[in-house]
Amino acid sequence: MAGLKIIIALMALAGASAFSRSMPTMSMATEKAGMRRKEWTRALDRATKENFAEVAYGAKSEAFVSAAGSSMAPKLKSKIKQRAKQLGVEPKADFCKQPWKGKPLWLKAQAAEDLKKVVAGRDVEAIQAKLEEIEGLEDVEFKAPEGSDDHPLFAEAKAVIAEVEAAAEAAAAAAEAAAAPAEEAPAEEAAEEAPEEASE
């Protein structure tokens, strides 16, 4: 019986781990907002009475809280109210009242992770297919840094494609060069035998 309980517990743990890996995390969902929960919390805890309104209700905080989701957003807003009470500031009642209606912000993080995996596998067809898939996503955009033609992830993927293709071409050329002497040898032997037969 004890052994059965251990097996069940291990299966439950493995299932929970797989579920957590497959679901987008809050940090993924709020990547577009330019903040992580730890950074947001640190900024709020360090806010003073003078800068509280900007820290708690500024554009970055609003984007972060709005994108946090229906389960986490109320907790974040509650934390803002608690900090306002500590500082003796009147909380903003209408802050982030509307639910998030923008694009799913976790898509970009998921697409980036998927691209990194296929690049690590160095499978040219898989990399090309993933690049096409990402470029076809309406809600995801990987902007190239100023002065660059591609986003770093795209540039790395294309560099791997070029490297793998160059290696394949070099291997094919080496195999062809190695096969050439073997094909020439019978022809040379036949040419040497021909004069001998003529002299006989």
Side-chain angles (χ1 to χ4, degrees), residues 16-111:
S17 177
F19 178 77
S20 63
R21 287 196 301 269
S22 63
M23 291 294 290
T25 63
M26 182 180 172
S27 62
M28 290 167 62
T30 54
E31 180 197 20
K32 194 81 172 181
M35 299 182 76
R36 291 183 180 275
R37 185 179 179 184
K38 187 177 181 181
E39 296 169 346
W40 181 86
T41 301
R42 186 187 298 117
L44 187 66
D45 290 342
R46 293 178 178 178
T48 63
K49 192 170 184 178
E50 289 71 24
N51 69 359
F52 176 78
E54 175 58 29
V55 172
Y57 305 123
K60 286 186 177 180
S61 180
E62 183 174 6
F64 177 82
V65 174
S66 295
S70 58
S71 61
M72 184 57 64
K75 296 177 183 179
L76 298 178
K77 288 191 282 187
S78 176
K79 189 170 182 63
I80 290 175
K81 289 181 181 179
Q82 290 176 0
R83 184 58 179 158
K85 186 176 180 180
Q86 292 172 353
L87 294 173
V89 178
E90 185 68 24
K92 192 175 180 181
D94 60 347
F95 178 65
C96 289
K97 267 196 169 183
Q98 297 298 321
W100 177 251
K101 295 181 179 179
K103 64 183 69 174
L105 301 179
W106 57 270
L107 273 179
K108 182 176 181 180
Q110 186 63 56

Side-chain angles (χ1 to χ4, degrees), residues 82-200:
Q82 290 176 0
R83 184 58 179 158
K85 186 176 180 180
Q86 292 172 353
L87 294 173
V89 178
E90 185 68 24
K92 192 175 180 181
D94 60 347
F95 178 65
C96 289
K97 267 196 169 183
Q98 297 298 321
W100 177 251
K101 295 181 179 179
K103 64 183 69 174
L105 301 179
W106 57 270
L107 273 179
K108 182 176 181 180
Q110 186 63 56
E113 287 300 317
D114 291 345
L115 181 57
K116 288 178 183 178
K117 287 179 182 178
V118 294
V119 168
R122 300 178 70 82
D123 184 327
V124 171
E125 291 186 1
I127 296 173
Q128 290 174 333
K130 181 56 64 176
L131 286 173
E132 291 177 5
E133 179 186 330
I134 292 175
E135 289 173 356
L137 293 174
E138 296 181 0
D139 296 327
V140 174
E141 183 181 6
F142 286 84
K143 291 184 178 180
E146 188 174 348
S148 301
D149 295 329
D150 283 315
H151 185 278
L153 282 176
F154 280 36
E156 181 184 358
K158 291 176 181 179
V160 169
I161 290 174
E163 183 181 335
V164 172
E165 289 180 342
E169 290 177 5
E176 186 177 345
E183 293 175 357
E184 292 174 0
E188 291 176 357
E189 290 175 3
E192 291 175 358
E193 291 174 358
E196 292 177 2
E197 292 176 356
S199 62
E200 292 176 359

